[in-house]
């Protein structure tokens, strides 16, 4: 039987994908906690415990690393936190309510608010480089599209017929993004519940909808 030599202490094993993931983990955390501009390549190398050659093998520039964080981590966070729960919910409004409440509860348990990952980078990077802006705008667009599509599916099932899908989606994303910015500044997650209450009051009145339908069908009486 051949005895395999043991790796020397401190010797790194060849795991390119693991190293790439570790760099992304470190960069994602640094960009959210300190910001992209304040996170130097040297800081990221030290935190990830990788050499400059290893980092640049996967990410030739800091911009390439930031785009990977946006495409692979921020987009995935929006998918996991927002898109998947809303699409799986019984209705768009129920899904939106569940996300707001779940995020508020998680932040309260966590004890601090970093803000929305997408919102944070959008504020910092949208004017810094057109490629950043396009990548971030694409995530916002996909987020809105998923909510609007869910509203349309609800309407095909005979629910929420008085809601404009696109406007509701824009309002939802704007309300959440603004609430997260305010919660971050105040370090108080209750703002999310306040915004949710306002968003839910935007639901169309069924009585009002029925009245509008009657007005379209029945002529108004003429005054003598």
């Amino acid at each position: 039987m051949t005895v395999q030599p043991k790796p020397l202490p401190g010797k790194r094993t060849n795991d390119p994908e693991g190293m790439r993931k570790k760099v992304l983990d470190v960069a994602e955390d640094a960009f959210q906690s300190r910001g992209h501009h304040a996170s130097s390549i040297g800081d990221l190398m030290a935190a990830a415990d990788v050499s400059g050659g290893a980092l640049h093998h996967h990410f030739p520039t800091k911009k390439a690393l930031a785009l990977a964080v946006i495409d692979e981590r921020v987009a995935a966070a929006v998918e996991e936190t927002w898109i998947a729960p809303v699409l799986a919910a019984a209705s768009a409004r129920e899904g939106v309510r569940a996300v707001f409440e779940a995020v508020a509860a998680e932040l309260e348990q966590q004890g601090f608010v970093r803000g929305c990952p997408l919102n944070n980078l959008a504020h910092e990077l949208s004017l810094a480089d057109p490629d950043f802006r396009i990548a971030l705008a694409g995530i916002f667009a996909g987020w809105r599209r998923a909510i609007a599509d869910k509203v349309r599916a609800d309407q095909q099932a005979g629910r929420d017929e008085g809601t404009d899908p696109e406007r509701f989606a824009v309002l939802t994303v704007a309300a959440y993004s603004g609430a997260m910015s305010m919660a971050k500044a105040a370090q108080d997650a209750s703002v999310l519940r306040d915004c949710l209450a306002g968003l839910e009051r935007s639901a169309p009145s069924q009585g009002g909808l029925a009245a509008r339908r009657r007005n379209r069908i029945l002529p108004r009486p003429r005054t003598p």
Side-chain angles (χ1 to χ4, degrees), residues 34-88:
R34 297 196 304 272
H36 170 269
H37 296 310
S39 302
S40 70
I41 287 293
D43 292 337
L44 299 176
M45 286 168 48
D49 190 26
V50 298
S51 67
L55 187 147
H56 287 97
H57 171 73
H58 296 287
F59 308 104
T61 63
K62 186 180 178 183
K63 176 179 175 177
L65 175 57
L67 286 171
V69 169
I70 292 170
D71 293 339
E72 299 179 35
R73 296 303 177 82
V74 177
V78 172
E79 173 70 31
E80 180 182 354
T81 302
W82 265 100
I83 295 177
V86 168
L87 294 181

Side-chain angles (χ1 to χ4, degrees), residues 114-144:
R114 276 190 174 183
C116 169
L118 176 57
N119 211 32
N120 289 343
L121 291 182
H123 284 176
E124 183 181 10
L125 299 180
S126 291
L127 297 181
D129 185 288
D131 292 333
F132 290 149
R133 182 186 61 76
I134 290 169
L136 294 162
I139 300 174
F140 274 116
W143 183 1
R144 297 196 309 269

Side-chain angles (χ1 to χ4, degrees), residues 167-184:
R167 290 182 179 179
F168 177 75
V170 169
L171 178 60
T172 298
V173 172
Y176 180 80
S177 298
M180 287 295 280
S181 292
M182 289 188 288
K184 180 179 179 180

